[in-house]
Amino acid sequence: MIPRLREAFPEIEENCLKTITDKHTFVFESNPVLFVTVKEPWHLHIENKSNDEFYFVQNDDCVMKKVKGGQCDYVICNNKDVFFTEVKVAKGNQANHRKDAYSQLENTFKHYSSLIDFNPYSLNAVVCLPSKRRIIKASASTKRKEFKDLYKLNLIESNYISFE
C-alpha cells in the first residue's frame, strides 16, 4: 500500500507516515498525534495480531492539507486492510459528531479512491467515539448500508482496530 500512497501523494512528508511493528499501539488524538502506553489516556487501540508491519498515516493537516470538505484523521493500513479513521473526542452531541465523521470519511475516501486503486484491499471506515475500552459496533443502519453499497467500505464504530 505504501508505494501506492507515495505515487498518489508524492509530496507526502516523512512525519505524516509511520511504520509500526508493535503488537499493541495506543493513540491519543492530538495534533500531531501522540502514541502512548496503555497506562496513559488513549482514544484508539490498534492490535497487530499478524506481527507484520503496518502503516499509520496522519491524514488530517498532513496528507490532505488543501482538500475542501473535511477529511478523516488517519489512514491505517497493512498489506491487506485499510482503515480510514476519524476520532471524535470533543464533548457534545454524539449524533452531530457521528454525522460529521461520516462526511469526513466519505470525503477522504472519495479523494483517495480518485488517486489509488484499492483492489484487492479490504476497506473500512472507522468512527471512533469516546468510550471505556469497549468495542462499539455500528448498528445495521442506512448509513452503514450506504457506505457498503457506494464505496465498498465496512462502516464501524469502535475504538479498536485489529490486523489479523
Side-chain angles (χ1 to χ4, degrees):
M1 176 54 70
I2 293 306
R4 293 181 192 191
L5 282 171
R6 289 196 187 283
E7 184 178 330
F9 304 105
E11 71 287 352
I12 194 168
E13 301 168 20
E14 285 301 315
N15 62 334
C16 297
L17 174 64
K18 182 170 177 61
T19 303
I20 301 173
T21 56
D22 299 337
K23 182 150 178 84
H24 295 277
T25 301
F26 297 90
V27 176
F28 183 82
E29 168 62 14
S30 66
N31 195 359
V33 65
L34 294 175
F35 296 98
V36 297
T37 68
V38 68
K39 295 177 181 180
E40 298 173 274
W42 54 271
H43 298 114
L44 176 65
H45 173 200
I46 305 164
E47 185 173 6
N48 185 11
K49 294 178 181 177
S50 72
N51 293 321
D52 293 328
E53 63 188 14
F54 69 94
Y55 307 96
F56 189 96
V57 179
Q58 173 75 45
N59 184 59
D60 191 16
D61 280 339
C62 215
V63 174
M64 289 180 67
K65 286 182 182 179
K66 299 176 183 171
V67 178
K68 292 186 179 187
Q71 57 272 339
C72 72
D73 295 314
Y74 317 119
V75 177
I76 305 165
C77 58
N78 67 1
N79 60 357
K80 61 183 180 177
D81 299 298
V82 178
F83 293 89
F84 294 91
T85 308
E86 175 61 24
V87 178
K88 293 293 186 190
V89 295
K91 295 191 190 295
N93 186 326
Q94 277 201 351
N96 289 341
H97 290 312
R98 188 176 280 112
K99 184 179 176 184
D100 290 345
Y102 293 158
S103 175
Q104 290 169 280
L105 289 163
E106 286 179 281
N107 193 51
T108 302
F109 181 71
K110 286 176 186 176
H111 183 71
Y112 272 68
S113 64
S114 72
L115 301 169
I116 297 173
D117 176 12
F118 284 107
N119 191 36
Y121 290 86
S122 171
L123 302 175
N124 305 278
V126 179
V127 177
C128 181
L129 298 168
S131 69
K132 300 284 187 199
R133 294 188 191 208
R134 63 187 173 115
I135 298 170
I136 308 164
K137 295 187 179 180
S139 63
S141 67
T142 304
K143 191 52 90 170
R144 187 173 181 187
K145 183 177 179 347
E146 181 182 312
F147 268 62
K148 191 66 166 175
D149 292 347
L150 290 176
Y151 311 117
K152 308 295 185 255
L153 285 166
N154 300 308
L155 177 63
I156 57 176
E157 289 184 14
S158 182
N159 62 353
Y160 173 80
I161 292 173
S162 178
F163 289 110
E164 304 291 328

